Coordinates of all heavy atoms in Angstrom, one line a residue:
M179 N 152.5 164.6 140.3 CA 151.8 164.1 139.1 C 151.1 165.2 138.4 O 150.4 165.9 139.0 CB 150.8 163.0 139.6 CG 150.1 162.3 138.4 SD 148.9 161.1 138.9 CE 150.0 159.8 139.4
R180 N 151.2 165.0 137.2 CA 150.5 166.2 136.3 C 149.0 165.8 136.3 O 148.6 164.6 136.3 CB 151.1 166.2 134.9 CG 152.5 166.7 134.9 CD 153.0 166.9 133.6 NE 152.5 165.9 132.6 CZ 153.0 165.5 131.5 NH1 154.2 165.9 131.4 NH2 152.6 164.6 130.8
W181 N 148.2 166.8 136.0 CA 146.7 166.7 136.0 C 146.3 165.7 134.8 O 145.4 164.9 134.9 CB 146.1 168.1 135.9 CG 144.6 168.0 135.7 CD1 144.0 168.3 134.5 CD2 143.6 167.6 136.6 NE1 142.6 168.1 134.6 CE2 142.4 167.7 135.9 CE3 143.7 167.1 137.8 CZ2 141.2 167.4 136.6 CZ3 142.5 166.8 138.5 CH2 141.2 166.9 137.8
E182 N 147.0 165.9 133.6 CA 146.7 165.2 132.6 C 146.9 163.6 132.7 O 146.1 162.8 132.3 CB 147.5 165.6 131.3 CG 147.2 167.0 130.8 CD 148.2 167.9 131.6 OE1 149.1 167.6 132.2 OE2 147.9 169.1 131.5
M183 N 148.0 163.3 133.5 CA 148.3 161.9 133.8 C 147.2 161.2 134.7 O 146.8 160.1 134.5 CB 149.6 161.8 134.4 CG 150.7 162.1 133.6 SD 150.9 161.0 132.2 CE 151.5 159.6 132.9
L184 N 146.6 162.0 135.7 CA 145.6 161.6 136.6 C 144.3 161.3 135.8 O 143.7 160.3 136.0 CB 145.4 162.6 137.7 CG 144.2 162.2 138.6 CD1 144.6 160.9 139.4 CD2 144.0 163.4 139.6
V185 N 144.0 162.2 134.9 CA 142.8 162.1 134.1 C 143.0 160.9 133.1 O 142.1 160.1 132.9 CB 142.5 163.3 133.2 CG1 141.5 163.1 132.2 CG2 142.2 164.5 134.2
L186 N 144.2 160.7 132.7 CA 144.4 159.5 131.8 C 144.3 158.3 132.6 O 143.6 157.2 132.0 CB 145.9 159.6 131.2 CG 146.3 158.4 130.2 CD1 145.4 158.5 129.0 CD2 147.8 158.6 130.0
F187 N 144.8 158.2 133.8 CA 144.7 157.0 134.6 C 143.2 156.6 135.0 O 142.8 155.5 135.0 CB 145.5 157.0 135.9 CG 147.0 157.0 135.7 CD1 147.9 157.6 136.5 CD2 147.5 156.2 134.6 CE1 149.1 157.5 136.2 CE2 148.9 156.1 134.4 CZ 149.7 156.8 135.1
L188 N 142.6 157.7 135.4 CA 141.1 157.5 135.7 C 140.3 157.1 134.5 O 139.4 156.2 134.5 CB 140.6 158.8 136.3 CG 141.1 159.2 137.7 CD1 140.5 160.5 138.1 CD2 140.8 158.2 138.7
G189 N 140.6 157.7 133.3 CA 139.9 157.3 132.1 C 140.2 155.8 131.7 O 139.3 155.1 131.4
M190 N 141.4 155.3 131.9 CA 141.8 154.0 131.5 C 141.2 153.0 132.6 O 140.7 151.9 132.2 CB 143.3 153.8 131.6 CG 144.0 154.4 130.5 SD 145.7 154.0 130.3 CE 146.4 154.6 131.8
A191 N 141.0 153.4 133.9 CA 140.4 152.7 134.9 C 138.9 152.5 134.5 O 138.3 151.4 134.7 CB 140.6 153.2 136.3
A192 N 138.3 153.6 134.0 CA 136.8 153.6 133.7 C 136.7 152.7 132.6 O 135.7 151.9 132.5 CB 136.3 155.1 133.6
V193 N 137.4 152.8 131.5 CA 137.3 152.0 130.2 C 137.6 150.6 130.6 O 136.9 149.7 130.0 CB 138.3 152.5 129.2 CG1 138.4 151.6 128.1 CG2 137.8 153.9 128.7
T194 N 138.3 150.2 131.6 CA 138.6 148.9 131.8 C 137.5 148.3 132.8 O 137.0 147.2 132.6 CB 139.9 148.7 132.6 OG1 140.9 149.2 131.7 CG2 140.2 147.2 132.9
F195 N 136.9 149.1 133.7 CA 136.1 148.6 134.7 C 134.7 148.6 134.3 O 133.9 147.5 134.4 CB 136.2 149.5 135.9 CG 135.2 149.2 137.0 CD1 135.4 148.0 137.9 CD2 134.0 150.0 137.2 CE1 134.4 147.7 138.8 CE2 133.1 149.6 138.2 CZ 133.3 148.4 139.0
L196 N 134.2 149.6 133.5 CA 132.8 149.7 133.1 C 132.4 148.5 132.2 O 131.3 147.9 132.4 CB 132.4 151.0 132.5 CG 132.5 152.2 133.6 CD1 132.2 153.5 133.0 CD2 131.4 151.9 134.7
P197 N 133.1 148.2 131.1 CA 132.7 147.2 130.3 C 132.5 145.7 131.0 O 131.9 144.8 130.5 CB 133.7 147.0 129.1 CG 134.3 148.3 129.2 CD 134.3 148.8 130.7
R198 N 133.3 145.6 132.1 CA 133.1 144.3 132.8 C 132.0 144.4 133.9 O 131.3 143.5 134.1 CB 134.4 144.0 133.5 CG 135.5 143.6 132.6 CD 136.8 143.4 133.3 NE 137.9 142.9 132.4 CZ 138.6 143.7 131.7 NH1 138.5 145.0 131.7 NH2 139.5 143.2 130.8
F199 N 131.9 145.5 134.5 CA 131.0 145.7 135.6 C 129.4 145.8 135.2 O 128.6 145.1 135.7 CB 131.3 146.8 136.6 CG 130.3 147.1 137.6 CD1 130.3 146.2 138.8 CD2 129.4 148.1 137.6 CE1 129.4 146.4 139.7 CE2 128.4 148.3 138.6 CZ 128.4 147.5 139.7
L200 N 129.2 146.6 134.2 CA 127.9 146.8 133.8 C 127.1 145.6 133.3 O 126.0 145.4 133.8 CB 127.9 148.0 132.7 CG 128.3 149.3 133.3 CD1 128.2 150.4 132.1 CD2 127.3 149.8 134.3
P201 N 127.7 144.8 132.4 CA 127.0 143.6 132.0 C 126.8 142.6 133.2 O 125.7 142.0 133.4 CB 127.8 143.0 130.9 CG 128.6 144.0 130.4 CD 128.8 145.0 131.6
M202 N 127.8 142.5 134.0 CA 127.7 141.7 135.2 C 126.5 142.1 136.2 O 125.8 141.4 136.7 CB 129.0 141.6 136.0 CG 128.9 140.7 137.2 SD 130.4 140.7 138.1 CE 130.6 142.4 138.7
A203 N 126.5 143.5 136.4 CA 125.4 144.0 137.3 C 124.1 143.8 136.6 O 123.1 143.5 137.4 CB 125.7 145.5 137.5
Y204 N 123.9 144.0 135.3 CA 122.7 143.8 134.6 C 122.3 142.4 134.6 O 121.1 142.1 135.0 CB 122.8 144.4 133.3 CG 121.5 144.2 132.5 CD1 120.4 144.9 132.8 CD2 121.4 143.3 131.4 CE1 119.2 144.7 132.1 CE2 120.3 143.0 130.7 CZ 119.1 143.8 131.1 OH 117.9 143.7 130.3
V205 N 123.1 141.4 134.3 CA 122.8 140.0 134.2 C 122.5 139.4 135.5 O 121.6 138.5 135.6 CB 123.9 139.3 133.4 CG1 123.7 137.8 133.5 CG2 123.9 139.7 132.0
S206 N 123.2 139.9 136.5 CA 122.9 139.2 137.9 C 121.5 139.5 138.3 O 121.1 138.8 139.2 CB 123.9 139.9 138.9 OG 123.7 141.2 139.1
R207 N 120.8 140.5 137.8 CA 119.4 140.7 138.2 C 118.4 140.0 137.3 O 117.2 140.0 137.6 CB 119.1 142.2 138.1 CG 119.9 143.0 139.1 CD 119.7 144.5 139.1 NE 120.7 145.1 140.0 CZ 120.7 146.3 140.4 NH1 119.8 147.1 139.9 NH2 121.6 146.9 141.1
L208 N 118.9 139.3 136.3 CA 117.9 138.6 135.4 C 117.7 137.2 135.9 O 118.6 136.6 136.6 CB 118.5 138.5 134.0 CG 118.6 139.9 133.3 CD1 119.3 139.6 131.9 CD2 117.2 140.5 133.1
T209 N 116.6 136.6 135.6 CA 116.4 135.2 135.9 C 116.6 134.5 134.6 O 115.9 134.8 133.6 CB 114.9 135.0 136.3 OG1 114.7 135.7 137.5 CG2 114.7 133.6 136.6
I210 N 117.7 133.7 134.7 CA 118.1 133.0 133.4 C 117.4 131.7 133.3 O 117.3 130.9 134.3 CB 119.7 132.8 133.5 CG1 120.3 134.0 133.5 CG2 120.1 131.9 132.3 CD1 121.9 134.0 133.7
P211 N 116.8 131.4 132.2 CA 116.1 130.2 132.0 C 117.0 129.0 132.1 O 118.1 129.0 131.7 CB 115.4 130.3 130.6 CG 115.5 131.7 130.2 CD 116.6 132.3 131.0
P212 N 116.4 127.9 132.6 CA 117.3 126.7 132.7 C 118.0 126.1 131.5 O 119.1 125.7 131.5 CB 116.3 125.5 133.2 CG 115.1 126.3 133.8 CD 115.1 127.6 133.1
R213 N 117.4 126.3 130.4 CA 118.0 125.9 129.1 C 119.1 126.8 128.8 O 120.2 126.3 128.2 CB 116.9 125.8 128.0 CG 115.9 124.8 128.1 CD 115.0 124.7 126.9 NE 115.8 124.2 125.8 CZ 115.4 123.5 124.9 NH1 114.0 123.4 124.7 NH2 116.2 123.1 123.9
V214 N 119.0 128.0 129.1 CA 120.2 128.9 128.8 C 121.3 128.7 129.8 O 122.5 128.7 129.4 CB 119.7 130.4 129.0 CG1 120.9 131.5 128.8 CG2 118.7 130.7 127.8
K215 N 121.0 128.3 131.1 CA 122.0 128.0 132.0 C 122.8 126.7 131.5 O 123.9 126.7 131.6 CB 121.4 127.6 133.4 CG 121.0 128.9 134.2 CD 120.6 128.6 135.5 CE 120.2 129.9 136.3 NZ 119.8 129.5 137.7
V216 N 122.0 125.7 131.0 CA 122.6 124.4 130.5 C 123.6 124.9 129.3 O 124.8 124.4 129.3 CB 121.7 123.4 130.1 CG1 122.3 122.3 129.3 CG2 120.9 123.0 131.2
F217 N 123.1 125.8 128.4 CA 124.0 126.2 127.3 C 125.2 126.9 127.8 O 126.3 126.6 127.5 CB 123.1 127.2 126.5 CG 124.0 127.8 125.4 CD1 124.4 127.2 124.3 CD2 124.3 129.2 125.6 CE1 125.1 127.9 123.3 CE2 125.1 129.8 124.6 CZ 125.5 129.2 123.5
L218 N 125.0 127.7 128.8 CA 126.1 128.5 129.4 C 127.2 127.6 130.1 O 128.3 128.0 130.1 CB 125.7 129.7 130.3 CG 124.9 130.8 129.6 CD1 124.3 131.7 130.6 CD2 125.8 131.5 128.6
D219 N 126.7 126.5 130.6 CA 127.7 125.6 131.3 C 128.7 125.1 130.2 O 129.8 124.6 130.7 CB 126.8 124.5 131.9 CG 126.2 124.9 133.3 OD1 126.6 125.9 133.7 OD2 125.3 124.1 133.7
Y220 N 128.3 125.0 129.0 CA 129.2 124.4 128.0 C 130.1 125.4 127.3 O 131.0 125.0 126.7 CB 128.4 123.7 126.9 CG 127.7 122.5 127.3 CD1 126.3 122.3 127.6 CD2 128.5 121.3 127.6 CE1 125.8 121.2 128.0 CE2 127.8 120.1 128.0 CZ 126.5 120.1 128.2 OH 125.9 118.9 128.6
V221 N 129.9 126.7 127.6 CA 130.7 127.7 127.0 C 132.2 127.6 127.5 O 133.1 127.6 126.6 CB 130.2 129.1 127.3 CG1 131.2 130.2 126.9 CG2 128.9 129.3 126.6
P222 N 132.5 127.4 128.7 CA 134.0 127.3 129.1 C 134.7 126.0 128.4 O 135.8 126.2 128.0 CB 133.9 127.1 130.6 CG 132.7 127.6 131.0 CD 131.7 127.3 129.9
V223 N 134.0 124.9 128.3 CA 134.5 123.7 127.6 C 134.8 124.1 126.2 O 135.8 123.7 125.6 CB 133.5 122.5 127.8 CG1 134.1 121.4 127.1 CG2 133.4 122.2 129.3
A224 N 133.8 124.7 125.5 CA 134.0 125.0 124.1 C 135.1 126.1 123.9 O 135.9 125.8 123.0 CB 132.7 125.6 123.6
V225 N 135.3 127.0 124.7 CA 136.3 128.0 124.6 C 137.7 127.2 124.9 O 138.6 127.5 124.1 CB 136.2 129.2 125.6 CG1 137.4 130.0 125.6 CG2 134.9 130.0 125.1
L226 N 137.7 126.5 125.9 CA 139.0 125.8 126.2 C 139.4 124.8 125.0 O 140.5 124.7 124.7 CB 138.9 125.0 127.4 CG 140.2 124.4 128.0 CD1 141.2 125.4 128.2 CD2 139.9 123.5 129.2
S227 N 138.4 124.1 124.4 CA 138.7 123.3 123.4 C 139.2 124.0 122.1 O 140.0 123.7 121.5 CB 137.4 122.6 122.9 OG 137.0 121.6 124.0
A228 N 138.5 125.2 121.9 CA 139.0 126.1 120.7 C 140.4 126.6 120.9 O 141.1 126.9 120.0 CB 138.0 127.3 120.6
L229 N 140.9 126.7 122.2 CA 142.2 127.1 122.4 C 143.2 125.9 122.4 O 144.3 126.1 121.8 CB 142.3 127.8 123.7 CG 141.6 129.1 124.0 CD1 141.6 129.5 125.4 CD2 142.2 130.1 123.1
V230 N 142.8 124.7 122.8 CA 143.8 123.7 123.0 C 143.9 122.9 121.7 O 145.0 122.5 121.3 CB 143.3 122.7 124.1 CG1 144.1 121.5 124.2 CG2 143.4 123.5 125.5
V231 N 142.8 122.6 121.1 CA 142.8 121.7 119.8 C 143.8 122.2 118.8 O 144.6 121.5 118.2 CB 141.4 121.4 119.3 CG1 141.5 120.8 118.0 CG2 140.7 120.6 120.3
P232 N 143.6 123.6 118.5 CA 144.6 124.0 117.4 C 146.1 124.0 117.9 O 146.9 123.7 117.1 CB 144.2 125.5 117.2 CG 142.8 125.5 117.6 CD 142.7 124.5 118.7
A233 N 146.3 124.1 119.1 CA 147.7 124.0 119.7 C 148.2 122.6 119.6 O 149.4 122.4 119.3 CB 147.7 124.6 121.2
V234 N 147.3 121.7 119.8 CA 147.8 120.3 119.8 C 147.9 119.8 118.3 O 148.9 119.1 118.0 CB 146.8 119.4 120.6 CG1 147.2 117.9 120.4 CG2 146.9 119.8 122.0
F235 N 147.1 120.1 117.5 CA 147.0 119.5 116.1 C 147.5 120.4 115.0 O 147.5 119.9 113.9 CB 145.6 119.1 115.9 CG 145.1 117.9 116.7 CD1 144.2 118.3 117.7 CD2 145.5 116.7 116.6 CE1 143.7 117.2 118.5 CE2 145.1 115.7 117.5 CZ 144.3 115.9 118.4
A236 N 147.9 121.6 115.3 CA 148.4 122.5 114.2 C 149.9 122.3 114.1 O 150.5 122.2 115.1 CB 148.0 123.9 114.6
A237 N 150.4 122.2 112.9 CA 151.8 122.1 112.7 C 152.3 123.5 112.3 O 151.6 124.4 111.8 CB 152.1 121.1 111.6
D238 N 153.7 123.6 112.4 CA 154.3 124.8 112.0 C 154.1 125.1 110.4 O 154.1 124.0 109.7 CB 155.7 124.8 112.2 CG 156.0 124.9 113.7 OD1 155.2 125.4 114.4 OD2 157.1 124.4 114.1
G239 N 153.7 126.2 110.1 CA 153.5 126.5 108.7 C 152.0 126.3 108.3 O 151.6 126.5 107.1
G240 N 151.1 126.1 109.2 CA 149.6 126.2 108.9 C 149.0 124.9 108.6 O 147.9 124.8 108.5
G241 N 149.7 123.8 108.6 CA 149.1 122.5 108.3 C 148.7 121.8 109.6 O 148.7 122.4 110.6
V242 N 148.2 120.6 109.3 CA 147.8 119.6 110.4 C 148.9 118.7 110.8 O 149.6 118.2 109.9 CB 146.6 118.8 110.0 CG1 146.2 117.9 111.2 CG2 145.4 119.8 109.7
G243 N 149.3 118.6 112.1 CA 150.3 117.8 112.5 C 150.2 117.4 113.9 O 149.3 117.8 114.6
L244 N 151.0 116.5 114.3 CA 151.0 116.0 115.8 C 152.4 116.2 116.3 O 153.4 115.7 115.7 CB 150.6 114.6 115.8 CG 149.1 114.3 115.6 CD1 148.8 112.8 115.5 CD2 148.2 115.0 116.5
E245 N 152.4 116.7 117.4 CA 153.6 116.7 118.2 C 153.4 115.8 119.4 O 152.5 116.0 120.2 CB 154.0 118.1 118.7 CG 155.3 118.1 119.6 CD 155.7 119.5 120.0 OE1 155.2 120.4 119.5 OE2 156.5 119.5 121.0
P246 N 154.1 114.6 119.6 CA 153.8 113.6 120.6 C 153.7 114.2 122.1 O 152.8 113.8 122.7 CB 154.9 112.6 120.4 CG 155.4 112.8 119.0 CD 155.2 114.3 118.8
R247 N 154.6 115.1 122.3 CA 154.6 115.7 123.6 C 153.3 116.4 123.9 O 152.7 116.3 125.0 CB 155.7 116.6 123.8 CG 155.9 117.2 125.2 CD 157.3 117.9 125.4 NE 157.3 118.9 124.3 CZ 158.3 119.9 124.5 NH1 159.0 120.0 125.5 NH2 158.4 120.9 123.7
L248 N 152.8 117.2 123.0 CA 151.6 117.9 123.2 C 150.4 117.0 123.3 O 149.4 117.1 124.1 CB 151.3 118.9 122.2 CG 152.2 120.2 122.2 CD1 151.9 121.0 120.9 CD2 151.8 121.0 123.5
L249 N 150.5 116.0 122.4 CA 149.3 115.0 122.4 C 149.2 114.1 123.6 O 148.2 113.9 124.1 CB 149.4 114.1 121.1 CG 148.3 113.1 120.8 CD1 147.0 113.9 120.6 CD2 148.6 112.2 119.6
L250 N 150.3 113.8 124.2 CA 150.3 112.9 125.4 C 150.0 113.7 126.6 O 149.2 113.2 127.5 CB 151.7 112.3 125.6 CG 152.1 111.2 124.6 CD1 153.5 110.7 124.8 CD2 151.1 110.0 124.7
S251 N 150.4 115.0 126.6 CA 149.9 115.9 127.7 C 148.4 116.1 127.6 O 147.8 116.1 128.6 CB 150.7 117.3 127.5 OG 152.1 117.1 127.6
A252 N 147.9 116.3 126.5 CA 146.5 116.6 126.3 C 145.7 115.3 126.7 O 144.7 115.5 127.3 CB 146.2 117.0 124.9
A253 N 146.2 114.1 126.2 CA 145.5 112.9 126.6 C 145.5 112.7 128.1 O 144.5 112.3 128.6 CB 146.2 111.7 125.9
A254 N 146.6 112.9 128.8 CA 146.7 112.8 130.2 C 145.7 113.7 131.0 O 145.0 113.4 131.9 CB 148.2 113.0 130.7
V255 N 145.7 115.0 130.4 CA 144.8 115.9 131.0 C 143.3 115.6 130.8 O 142.4 115.7 131.7 CB 145.0 117.4 130.4 CG1 144.0 118.4 130.8 CG2 146.4 117.8 131.0
F256 N 143.0 115.1 129.5 CA 141.6 114.7 129.2 C 141.2 113.5 130.2 O 140.1 113.6 130.8 CB 141.5 114.2 127.8 CG 140.2 113.7 127.4 CD1 139.2 114.7 127.2 CD2 140.0 112.4 127.3 CE1 137.9 114.2 126.9 CE2 138.7 112.0 126.9 CZ 137.7 112.9 126.7
L257 N 142.0 112.5 130.3 CA 141.6 111.4 131.3 C 141.6 111.8 132.6 O 140.6 111.5 133.3 CB 142.7 110.3 131.0 CG 142.6 109.6 129.8 CD1 143.8 108.6 129.7 CD2 141.3 108.8 129.5
F258 N 142.5 112.7 133.1 CA 142.4 113.2 134.5 C 141.1 113.9 134.7 O 140.4 113.8 135.7 CB 143.6 114.0 134.7 CG 143.6 114.6 136.2 CD1 144.1 113.7 137.3 CD2 143.2 115.8 136.4 CE1 144.1 114.2 138.5 CE2 143.3 116.2 137.8 CZ 143.6 115.5 138.8
S259 N 140.8 114.8 133.7 CA 139.7 115.7 133.9 C 138.4 114.9 133.8 O 137.4 115.1 134.5 CB 139.6 116.8 132.8 OG 140.8 117.6 132.9
Y260 N 138.3 113.9 133.0 CA 137.1 113.1 132.9 C 136.9 112.3 134.2 O 135.7 112.1 134.6 CB 137.3 112.1 131.7 CG 136.1 111.1 131.5 CD1 135.0 111.6 130.9 CD2 136.2 109.8 131.9 CE1 133.9 110.8 130.7 CE2 135.0 109.1 131.5 CZ 133.9 109.6 131.1 OH 132.9 108.8 130.8
K261 N 138.0 111.8 134.8 CA 137.8 110.9 136.1 C 137.7 111.8 137.2 O 136.8 111.5 138.1 CB 139.1 110.0 136.1 CG 139.0 108.9 135.1 CD 138.0 107.9 135.3 CE 138.2 106.8 134.4 NZ 137.1 105.8 134.5
V262 N 138.5 112.8 137.5 CA 138.6 113.6 138.7 C 137.8 114.8 138.7 O 137.3 115.2 139.7 CB 140.1 113.8 139.0 CG1 140.2 114.6 140.3 CG2 140.9 112.5 139.1
R263 N 137.8 115.5 137.6 CA 137.0 116.8 137.4 C 137.6 117.8 138.4 O 136.9 118.5 139.1 CB 135.6 116.6 137.6 CG 134.9 115.8 136.6 CD 133.5 115.6 136.7 NE 132.9 114.7 135.9 CZ 132.5 114.9 134.7 NH1 132.5 116.1 134.2 NH2 131.9 114.1 133.8
N264 N 138.9 118.0 138.3 CA 139.6 119.0 139.2 C 140.3 119.9 138.2 O 141.4 119.4 137.6 CB 140.5 118.4 140.2 CG 141.1 119.3 141.0 OD1 141.4 120.5 140.7 ND2 141.4 118.9 142.2
L265 N 140.0 121.1 138.0 CA 140.6 122.0 137.0 C 142.1 122.3 137.4 O 143.0 122.1 136.5 CB 139.9 123.4 137.0 CG 140.5 124.4 136.1 CD1 140.5 123.9 134.7 CD2 139.8 125.8 136.3
W266 N 142.4 122.5 138.6 CA 143.8 122.8 139.0 C 144.7 121.6 138.9 O 145.9 121.6 138.5 CB 143.9 123.5 140.3 CG 143.4 124.8 140.4 CD1 142.2 125.3 140.9 CD2 144.0 125.9 139.7 NE1 142.1 126.7 140.6 CE2 143.2 127.2 139.8 CE3 145.1 126.1 138.9 CZ2 143.4 128.4 139.3 CZ3 145.4 127.4 138.4 CH2 144.6 128.5 138.6
G267 N 144.1 120.4 139.3 CA 144.8 119.2 139.2 C 145.1 119.0 137.6 O 146.3 118.5 137.4
A268 N 144.2 119.2 136.8 CA 144.4 119.0 135.4 C 145.5 120.0 134.8 O 146.3 119.5 134.0 CB 143.1 119.1 134.5
V269 N 145.5 121.2 135.2 CA 146.5 122.1 134.8 C 147.9 121.7 135.2 O 148.9 121.7 134.5 CB 146.2 123.6 135.4 CG1 147.3 124.5 135.1 CG2 144.9 124.1 134.7
V270 N 148.0 121.4 136.5 CA 149.3 120.9 137.0 C 149.8 119.6 136.4 O 150.9 119.5 136.0 CB 149.2 120.8 138.6 CG1 150.4 120.2 139.1 CG2 148.9 122.1 139.2
L271 N 148.9 118.6 136.2 CA 149.2 117.5 135.5 C 149.7 117.6 134.1 O 150.7 117.1 133.7 CB 148.0 116.4 135.5 CG 148.3 115.1 134.8 CD1 149.3 114.3 135.5 CD2 147.0 114.4 134.5
G272 N 148.9 118.5 133.4 CA 149.3 118.8 132.0 C 150.7 119.4 132.0 O 151.5 119.1 131.0
M273 N 151.0 120.4 132.8 CA 152.3 121.1 132.9 C 153.3 120.0 133.2 O 154.4 120.0 132.6 CB 152.2 122.2 133.8 CG 151.4 123.4 133.3 SD 151.1 124.7 134.6 CE 152.7 125.1 135.0
A274 N 153.1 119.1 134.2 CA 154.1 118.2 134.6 C 154.4 117.2 133.5 O 155.5 116.9 133.2 CB 153.6 117.5 135.8
V275 N 153.3 116.7 132.8 CA 153.6 115.7 131.7 C 154.3 116.3 130.6 O 155.2 115.8 130.1 CB 152.2 115.1 131.3 CG1 152.4 114.4 130.0 CG2 151.6 114.3 132.3
Y276 N 153.9 117.6 130.3 CA 154.7 118.3 129.2 C 156.1 118.5 129.5 O 157.0 118.3 128.8 CB 154.0 119.6 129.0 CG 154.5 120.4 127.8 CD1 154.1 120.1 126.5 CD2 155.3 121.4 128.0 CE1 154.6 120.7 125.4 CE2 155.9 122.2 126.9 CZ 155.4 121.8 125.6 OH 156.0 122.5 124.5
W277 N 156.3 118.8 130.8 CA 157.7 119.1 131.3 C 158.5 117.9 131.3 O 159.7 117.8 130.9 CB 157.7 119.8 132.7 CG 159.0 120.1 133.2 CD1 159.9 121.1 132.8 CD2 159.7 119.4 134.2 NE1 161.0 121.0 133.5 CE2 160.9 120.0 134.5 CE3 159.4 118.4 135.0 CZ2 161.8 119.6 135.4 CZ3 160.3 117.9 136.1 CH2 161.5 118.5 136.2
V278 N 158.0 116.7 131.8 CA 158.7 115.5 131.9 C 159.0 115.1 130.5 O 160.1 114.5 130.3 CB 157.7 114.4 132.6 CG1 158.4 113.0 132.5 CG2 157.8 114.8 134.1
L279 N 158.1 115.2 129.5 CA 158.3 114.7 128.2 C 159.2 115.6 127.4 O 159.8 115.2 126.3 CB 157.0 114.5 127.4 CG 156.1 113.4 128.0 CD1 154.7 113.4 127.2 CD2 156.7 112.0 127.9
G280 N 159.4 116.8 127.8 CA 160.2 117.7 127.0 C 161.7 117.6 127.3 O 162.5 117.9 126.6

């Protein structure tokens, strides 16, 4: 292995590792106020909604539309998640419903 390749790999590892580790190491030592914790609890739901809603309600060409298979899969996952609150179960159910309807 050439010296330049080793430096390149180590540099890529540092660039990948440090932006993830440094904030985690810094934040883990802070005491987070309860209101901020409550706010942070909603971040995954908001991010997931931001990813799923456009996929379900966006039509080809940039408009608004509904594809029944996506809508039924999303409805099944929503009901399952609301009742059971199991992430992996919701993922498997959503994939299964989408596959069965497809």
Side-chain angles (χ1 to χ4, degrees):
M179 178 182 288
R180 296 186 326 212
W181 174 251
E182 295 87 16
M183 296 296 287
L184 180 62
V185 171
L186 180 66
F187 289 147
L188 291 175
M190 289 190 299
V193 168
T194 302
F195 177 73
L196 289 177
R198 290 175 173 86
F199 176 75
L200 291 178
M202 182 182 67
Y204 177 71
V205 170
S206 67
R207 296 179 186 190
L208 293 176
T209 302
I210 299 174
R213 292 185 72 153
V214 175
K215 283 185 178 181
V216 170
F217 170 76
L218 291 174
D219 284 344
Y220 289 106
V221 169
V223 175
V225 170
L226 187 60
S227 298
L229 293 173
V230 170
V231 169
V234 172
F235 295 107
D238 291 335
V242 177
L244 287 175
E245 184 180 340
R247 186 170 56 160
L248 286 174
L249 186 61
L250 290 173
S251 300
V255 168
F256 177 77
L257 291 174
F258 180 82
S259 298
Y260 182 74
K261 292 288 185 185
V262 179
R263 298 185 185 269
N264 182 332
L265 177 64
W266 288 110
V269 169
V270 170
L271 177 70
M273 291 171 51
V275 170
Y276 186 80
W277 181 71
V278 167
L279 295 175

